[in-house]
Amino acid sequence: DSGVTQTPKHLITATGQRVTLRCSPRSGDLSVYWYQQSLDQGLQFLIQYYNGEERAKGNILERFSAQQFPDLHSELNLSSLELGDSALYFCASSARRGVSNTGELFFGEGSRLTVL
Amino acid sequence: LAKTTQPISMDSYEGQEVNITCSHNNIATNDYITWYQQFPSQGPRFIIQGYKTKVTNEVASLFIPADRKSSTLSLPRVSLSDTAVYYCLVGDGSGAGSYQLTFGKGTKLSVIP
């Protein structure tokens, strides 16, 4: 158990809909990262938050948005869903702003999104 | 943005030592090299991290040459349970306090009985 909690574990929805994925980081971790993993794209970095502020943005679509709340949990909002958005969405946390020299990211078990 | 290149797949027999090499030609001075392991439908799990020379822990060793443009993850005496995807990660220290952690495609290791 990494200590990172993601909900829901599974989600099935239709094209055009909007969903929200939730992540609770490990206790005390200030950084939250979101990743998307689909079969043909590997693990893609989406966005990072540190203590409520956006720190880095990766390959995140304009239809997607995220935020980190004062209690440090984070939400990833996916709107106008398309079939290609079907993927595993992982949240990870770390203690510091970046992990280049701090050790490790702790990943949750992911939220599997299926868009029909 | 530092990028990494790894073999797409590798096969190994049980009990053998496996070495997976990662190239990262654009590694920055402040970047560390980190390796993760991922099983199907699970989040990646940290294996080992290093900056230079050699690092060893209870599960793996990491070899980094002086120029740091590559690194090699060494798994001693693999078992079937080591079948997984292994990712090499290089922290993109921009100097502005903002880090992007780029996972490459990873190396799919298949351990054969």
Side-chain angles (χ1 to χ4, degrees):
Chain A
D1 182 6
S2 67
V4 177
T5 303
Q6 291 189 246
T7 58
K9 286 185 169 35
H10 301 276
L11 189 57
I12 301 174
T13 188
T15 55
Q17 296 298 306
R18 171 190 171 94
V19 299
T20 297
L21 309 179
R22 181 188 170 100
C23 170
S24 294
R26 288 191 322 155
S27 177
D29 281 0
L30 300 180
S31 274
V32 169
Y33 307 75
W34 285 98
Y35 286 86
Q36 178 193 55
Q37 187 169 42
S38 53
L39 283 176
D40 57 349
Q41 293 295 324
L43 202 61
Q44 299 289 319
F45 169 73
L46 296 179
I47 198 164
Q48 177 206 355
Y49 282 84
Y50 174 78
N51 202 21
E53 295 185 2
E54 181 184 307
R55 296 304 303 175
K57 185 175 284 189
N59 300 320
I60 188 167
L61 300 173
E62 287 189 6
R63 299 183 286 110
F64 297 177
S65 64
Q67 55 184 326
Q68 186 180 28
F69 295 87
D71 67 353
L72 301 177
H73 91 271
S74 178
E75 292 182 356
L76 178 67
N77 301 297
L78 314 175
S79 62
S80 303
L81 286 169
E82 303 175 358
L83 296 178
D85 297 327
S86 295
L88 258 175
Y89 290 85
F90 287 106
C91 168
S93 74
S94 71
R96 302 190 190 184
R97 187 175 299 167
V99 297
S100 237
N101 59 351
T102 61
E104 59 188 288
L105 287 176
F106 296 87
F107 281 81
E109 295 187 358
S111 293
R112 182 175 293 280
L113 172 65
T114 302
V115 182
L116 301 176
Chain B
L1 185 65
K3 293 184 179 178
T4 60
T5 303
Q6 305 173 232
I8 294 174
S9 64
M10 295 181 68
D11 294 334
S12 176
Y13 288 100
E14 273 192 296
Q16 289 189 332
E17 178 185 73
V18 171
N19 295 310
I20 306 174
T21 297
C22 178
S23 297
H24 28 80
N25 291 320
N26 297 323
I27 189 168
T29 302
N30 294 331
D31 287 348
Y32 277 60
I33 301 152
T34 312
W35 285 79
Y36 286 81
Q37 175 193 56
Q38 187 181 27
F39 298 112
S41 297
Q42 294 186 24
R45 185 178 67 175
F46 174 89
I47 300 175
I48 197 167
Q49 185 184 70
Y51 183 81
K52 62 180 179 181
T53 63
K54 177 183 175 182
V55 178
T56 298
N57 62 21
E58 63 276 8
V59 298
S61 294
L62 179 59
F63 299 91
I64 305 169
D67 66 6
R68 305 202 324 124
K69 293 184 182 299
S70 66
S71 59
T72 299
L73 174 72
S74 180
L75 305 172
R77 298 179 297 281
V78 295
S79 64
L80 295 177
S81 63
D82 292 317
T83 294
V85 178
Y86 292 83
Y87 294 96
C88 166
L89 211 66
V90 175
D92 180 28
S94 66
S98 174
Y99 292 83
Q100 290 195 30
L101 298 176
T102 303
F103 283 79
K105 299 287 188 185
T107 298
K108 185 175 182 179
L109 173 65
S110 298
V111 179
I112 306 165

